[in-house]
Amino acid sequence: MSPNISVYPVFSAALTLETLKLSPPNNYIAFIFGTLTYLTIVICNLVVLSVIAMSKELHKPMYILLFNMPLNDLVGATAFFPQMVFSLLSQNIFISHIACILQAFLIHLYGAGALLILTVMAYDRYVAICKPLRYNSIFTNSYLIKLVVLMWTVAFSLILILFTLLTRPKICRTEIMDPYCSNPALVKLTCGDTRMNNYYGLFITAFFQGLSLSVVIYTYVQILIACFS
């Protein structure tokens, strides 16, 4: 390691984020727009969650899947918007390392969750259309709950491993070149060998996107074949 490179304590370093370079009054307009957008997302998704939770006639496999979509949207929106609108209002570009990791973790969990939810929904539609007589016997509530638990367990575990790898290398930089935190941005702050981080990041990207794309293509091809048949 070069002697002129500073090494910062892990988890206690203060990081700086890239600003949107908005001057008053544009930053206040962006703050209002961002706040209203976040509140709209929260209110709409809470309404959907409440309706599904309180209506017994909606306690069916398809609606159990739909329940996960607004829940996932709340995770993603809450990870991104509060920090963004706060920085617009206060012009504070600093964020603690642990808060940055938490934001990045939730954003990546949101992305992985969205892909896996679409994957399970594609499988659900495939069984409903291509095997309609067996749908109720296959997609029971207990079976779908197991799928949902498996889906979130896989997403949470793989993303957790991704961010656990960040504890290995030391931090040599504190400036993030994006207005929000992400795993690639955090990896760029470290010094030393980050090949394992890069390889694993590529692996889970290929896994989530490849799995989702493969299942969606297969199921919809089978649905088209069933429709034309």
Side-chain angles (χ1 to χ4, degrees):
M1 182 184 299
S2 175
N4 61 343
I5 296 179
S6 301
V7 177
Y8 300 88
V10 178
F11 300 134
S12 61
L15 310 180
T16 59
L17 295 170
E18 181 71 17
T19 65
L20 295 179
K21 296 181 174 62
L22 296 176
S23 58
N26 292 331
N27 62 318
Y28 298 114
I29 296 173
F31 167 77
I32 294 172
F33 178 77
T35 302
L36 291 176
T37 301
Y38 176 62
L39 290 176
T40 301
I41 292 172
V42 170
I43 293 171
C44 290
N45 282 292
L46 286 178
V47 168
V48 174
L49 289 173
S50 301
V51 170
I52 296 176
M54 293 187 298
S55 302
K56 290 185 178 180
E57 61 271 19
L58 299 183
H59 294 176
K60 298 176 181 178
M62 188 61 186
Y63 295 102
I64 294 175
L65 278 177
L66 287 174
F67 188 87
N68 287 269
M69 294 186 70
L71 194 64
N72 191 53
D73 287 343
L74 287 174
V75 171
T78 303
F80 178 77
F81 279 99
Q83 185 275 327
M84 178 65 70
V85 297
F86 173 76
S87 64
L88 285 171
L89 183 63
S90 65
Q91 295 296 301
N92 181 16
I93 61 173
F94 295 99
I95 184 172
S96 68
H97 189 208
I98 190 67
C100 190
I101 289 177
L102 179 60
Q103 182 189 44
F105 176 83
L106 292 176
I107 289 175
H108 284 266
L109 182 63
Y110 160 75
L115 289 173
L116 291 182
I117 290 170
L118 291 176
T119 302
V120 177
M121 290 184 72
Y123 174 51
D124 172 82
R125 291 300 86 197
Y126 160 72
V127 176
I129 296 173
C130 297
K131 302 178 181 180
L133 298 180
R134 297 181 56 197
Y135 178 79
N136 289 330
S137 61
I138 295 176
F139 264 87
T140 61
N141 285 356
S142 60
Y143 175 70
L144 189 56
I145 290 173
K146 290 178 183 177
L147 274 182
V148 170
V149 170
L150 175 63
M151 174 186 74
W152 283 113
T153 301
V154 169
F156 185 86
S157 301
L158 293 181
I159 299 300
L160 181 62
I161 293 172
L162 177 68
F163 284 90
T164 301
L165 291 174
L166 286 172
T167 62
R168 294 170 52 256
K170 297 183 181 297
I171 303 172
C172 299
R173 289 166 286 274
T174 60
E175 184 178 356
I176 294 178
M177 305 307 295
D178 297 307
Y180 62 93
C181 298
S182 64
N183 179 67
L186 287 166
V187 170
K188 290 178 182 178
L189 301 180
T190 61
C191 51
D193 190 358
T194 59
R195 285 179 296 177
M196 184 177 294
N197 302 70
N198 296 329
Y199 292 153
Y200 185 77
L202 290 173
F203 162 72
I204 64 169
T205 299
F207 173 78
F208 285 122
Q209 295 189 356
L211 175 66
S212 178
L213 187 62
S214 299
V215 172
V216 169
I217 290 176
Y218 173 79
T219 54
Y220 278 88
V221 166
Q222 294 299 314
I223 290 171
L224 286 174
I225 291 173
C227 291
F228 285 116
S229 297

